[in-house]
Amino acid sequence: MWTLILITTIVSGAATGGVAASTAFLDFADEAKCRAAADALAGTHQLTSGQIANHPNISPPATYRIVAQCVAR
């Protein structure tokens, strides 16, 4: 059994902004499937409100990062 550990963080671009984080765990039957999911989910991206449903960009952009790590159990 393999477990994919996902750690997601988001950092606001505003001077008075903050940081949020969450953790999730997904189980996989084998290492190959776990690593494929980790590769598909991991990354760092910048998000602006204008990218969501064509809303006007009324707030500073935020950066989020997803760290994905497979571990054997």
Side-chain angles (χ1 to χ4, degrees):
M1 176 74 63
W2 285 80
T3 298
L4 175 59
I5 303 169
L6 295 169
I7 302 169
T8 305
T9 59
I10 187 163
V11 179
S12 173
T16 58
V19 176
S22 67
T23 306
F25 304 91
L26 301 170
D27 291 329
F28 291 88
D30 59 55
E31 181 181 9
K33 290 179 182 178
C34 185
R35 297 220 183 269
D39 292 342
L41 293 171
T44 302
H45 304 281
Q46 189 172 42
L47 179 67
T48 61
S49 60
Q51 293 174 319
I52 303 171
N54 297 321
H55 289 269
N57 191 4
I58 58 173
S59 63
T63 301
Y64 72 91
R65 181 173 185 204
I66 300 173
V67 177
Q69 180 69 45
C70 291
V71 295
R73 303 193 296 138

